[in-house]
Amino acid sequence: MSRGPALGAPALSDPLSRERHRILNAVQDRLEDVAQTAVAVMRTEIPSYALQDERFFDDVRDQVLTHYRMQLAALAGDRDMAPEDLVFSRSAAMRRARAGFALEDWISAFRVGRQVLWDVLLDCAGTSAEAQQAALSLVTPLMRYVDFASTHAAQAYVEYQQHVVADADRERRDLLDQLLAGAAPTRGALFAAAQAYGIGPHSPMMAVVAVCVGDTRTGDLTSAEHGYATSASIGVAGPWAGRTLVVVRHGEVVAVPVVRTGMDAEDICAHFEAVQRRLAREGTMLSMGISTVAEGAGELPRAYEEARAALDLVPSGGGVAALPRLSPFDYLALRADDLARQLVDPRVRALLEEDRRRGDTLAATVRAFAEADLNLRLAADRLRIHHNTAHYRLRRIEERTGRNPRRIADLLELLVALAIRDGAGEGGHHQ
């Protein structure tokens, strides 16, 4: 069985040994008052403690007294320390963790208790050289006790928090699984969890699916680190109040944001785009797909499949594909396969590739012409070029491709070819 640190008296001369025992006995006689002083200081210096009631402080006082008695006995050489001696402290640490106290508050309480005890030890020692030397012999074993006891308390905190995190993860996964089955919980713990995220049977929601495609910090995509970092970043509230359900599962991060009052789908898209960009700056590159709005839990399975399908629209280097930002035309063009690309007239394909290398002036003219409802003068104004320049560009397109942009069918074919070209580009960033 592992043992604790040796805290008994070192090899001291008889006079120093007697002085040491005298000091410890003097402190023992004042121990109740010393514990009361320590509790009062904790109440003053630790904000979270100051808010508690007398029942709490009775518990704290019992803990302080038990620690002090154990320290004095060990310092006097009456007993050795072992981990099982601190079962009472681990239990108290669990109670504090369960009550929501931060670990630093618990460690601060140890610091206060140590300082108060040391002040009393010095006071009981007196001012003689021999007494001061005897008091100094207590410094190292006193610090060893505090280190030993605080380490065990920290372990108890970590164990509790691990259980809490595991339980919370399990609850979130169970909630997501039920939602992806098309039903919102109506009772029990999952119902309470759904309410905490603002999720009800008829709440408008969206599905977001993210996967890591690059990590400049570790280069290890098999690590779960990027998933939990993404989960934490997504879970932070955006421009709206409220939490977002986020779950790491099957190599992907799934979020279910609720479209709350005063919001629309674009607000959701903008928030997740900002998350993706922030993580990219920090070294984690994500591909992220965002669904359209699901009107209630019954439509969420469809939204989840949409989000996963949207991932296919993101280039290999990462980015965001948000379906609410795409028209049906954009979506069909981005989903074009190799056969659709082969169906583009080679003359059109050659011209568009050449135009891309030269700055995309012809492509910009085609798009501006379509957006201006075939009003060439308006398109020229928007492009900030002369009307004759715009006219020359359209004539050049017709000469090179055999397609007249002034004809609806030909213009539509040019726009489709452009969308397919851009959708196939590895450097694209589809949103």
Side-chain angles (χ1 to χ4, degrees):
M1 180 179 294
S2 63
R3 308 304 297 174
L7 302 181
L12 299 174
S13 65
D14 287 343
L16 285 180
S17 182
R18 285 193 297 270
E19 276 298 304
R20 181 173 172 140
H21 280 285
R22 180 190 64 79
I23 295 169
L24 294 175
N25 288 333
V27 174
Q28 181 69 51
D29 292 340
R30 298 167 53 180
L31 208 55
E32 293 280 350
D33 291 338
V34 177
Q36 191 68 34
T37 300
V39 171
V41 176
M42 292 176 194
R43 196 169 196 163
T44 301
E45 294 191 0
I46 306 175
S48 62
Y49 277 37
L51 302 174
Q52 307 308 310
D53 58 20
E54 291 306 318
R55 183 178 177 182
F56 169 81
F57 287 108
D58 288 341
D59 184 29
V60 174
R61 189 160 35 250
D62 289 342
Q63 292 295 312
V64 172
L65 267 173
T66 305
H67 276 293
Y68 281 170
R69 287 170 180 149
M70 189 169 293
Q71 287 179 79
L72 292 179
L75 292 171
D78 296 338
R79 61 174 299 168
D80 292 329
M81 289 296 302
E84 56 266 26
D85 294 325
L86 291 171
V87 170
F88 77 96
S89 183
R90 290 176 62 85
S91 297
M94 285 287 191
R95 290 198 298 276
R96 302 292 181 265
R98 193 176 299 113
F101 288 93
L103 176 57
E104 53 265 33
D105 291 342
W106 179 251
I107 299 301
S108 292
F110 267 97
R111 175 188 57 78
V112 169
R114 179 204 64 205
Q115 186 61 51
V116 169
L117 181 62
W118 178 245
D119 290 343
V120 173
L121 283 168
L122 289 179
D123 184 59
C124 291
T127 58
S128 71
E130 196 169 65
Q132 290 290 306
Q133 190 174 349
L136 287 175
S137 73
L138 296 167
V139 172
T140 297
L142 183 62
M143 294 300 295
R144 285 175 179 166
Y145 177 88
V146 172
D147 180 62
F148 185 57
S150 61
T151 297
H152 276 267
Q155 288 173 346
Y157 258 82
V158 170
E159 289 170 9
Y160 176 80
Q161 289 168 349
Q162 286 174 338
H163 284 301
V164 168
V165 169
D167 287 345
D169 280 347
R170 186 161 45 250
E171 183 178 75
R172 284 193 296 269
R173 286 196 299 271
D174 289 346
L175 175 57
L176 180 64
D177 287 345
Q178 183 161 341
L179 291 171
L180 293 183
T186 57
R187 62 181 181 275
L190 291 187
F191 174 68
Q195 284 191 315
Y197 295 111
I199 296 173
H202 306 293
S203 301
M205 296 171 277
M206 296 168 70
V208 180
V209 176
V211 295
C212 186
V213 295
D215 194 327
T216 60
R217 298 166 301 174
T218 67
D220 180 11
L221 299 186
T222 64
S223 167
E225 177 186 351
H226 63 76
Y228 286 102
T230 302
S231 173
S233 295
I234 292 175
V236 174
W240 59 88
R243 300 159 59 200
T244 298
L245 174 63
V246 187
V247 177
V248 181
R249 66 195 290 272
H250 308 317
E252 63 187 20
V253 179
V254 181
V256 183
V258 175
V259 185
R260 302 174 191 273
T261 303
M263 295 170 52
D264 57 24
E266 174 56 29
D267 294 321
I268 303 287
C269 295
H271 172 62
F272 283 92
E273 181 183 20
V275 169
Q276 193 272 344
R277 288 178 174 172
R278 182 172 69 251
L279 286 172
R281 289 194 298 269
E282 295 170 357
T284 299
M285 184 60 67
L286 298 177
S287 288
M288 191 177 285
I290 305 177
S291 76
T292 61
V293 177
E295 297 297 338
E299 294 187 7
L300 196 61
R302 182 264 303 163
Y304 172 69
E305 292 303 325
E306 285 183 0
R308 295 195 69 189
L311 284 175
D312 294 338
L313 308 181
V314 182
S316 60
V320 179
L323 295 186
R325 291 175 169 177
L326 299 179
S327 68
F329 176 86
D330 295 329
Y331 178 77
L332 291 173
L334 291 173
R335 295 284 292 180
D337 56 15
D338 290 339
L339 177 57
R341 284 185 278 275
Q342 287 300 318
L343 291 175
V344 175
D345 188 306
R347 293 176 296 171
V348 174
R349 188 163 58 243
L351 176 65
L352 294 182
E353 290 302 328
E354 177 186 318
D355 183 51
R356 174 151 58 187
R357 293 191 295 271
R358 294 184 175 183
D360 260 353
T361 56
L362 298 182
T365 304
V366 169
R367 290 194 177 101
F369 187 51
E371 291 169 1
D373 295 328
L374 280 62
N375 185 325
L376 188 59
R377 189 172 296 278
L378 178 59
D381 290 342
R382 290 176 176 174
L383 292 170
R384 297 183 179 179
I385 60 176
H386 194 275
H387 174 264
N388 289 338
T389 301
H391 180 74
Y392 165 77
R393 290 179 181 177
L394 294 188
R395 188 171 67 250
R396 184 162 174 245
I397 291 171
E398 184 176 5
E399 290 171 353
R400 291 284 303 275
T401 66
R403 269 70 177 177
N404 180 2
R406 296 178 184 276
R407 295 182 62 246
I408 295 297
D410 288 354
L411 177 61
L412 183 59
E413 186 177 346
L414 291 169
L415 290 171
V416 169
L418 266 173
I420 291 176
R421 183 204 71 172
D422 293 343
E426 285 292 330
H429 187 65
H430 310 315
Q431 295 174 358

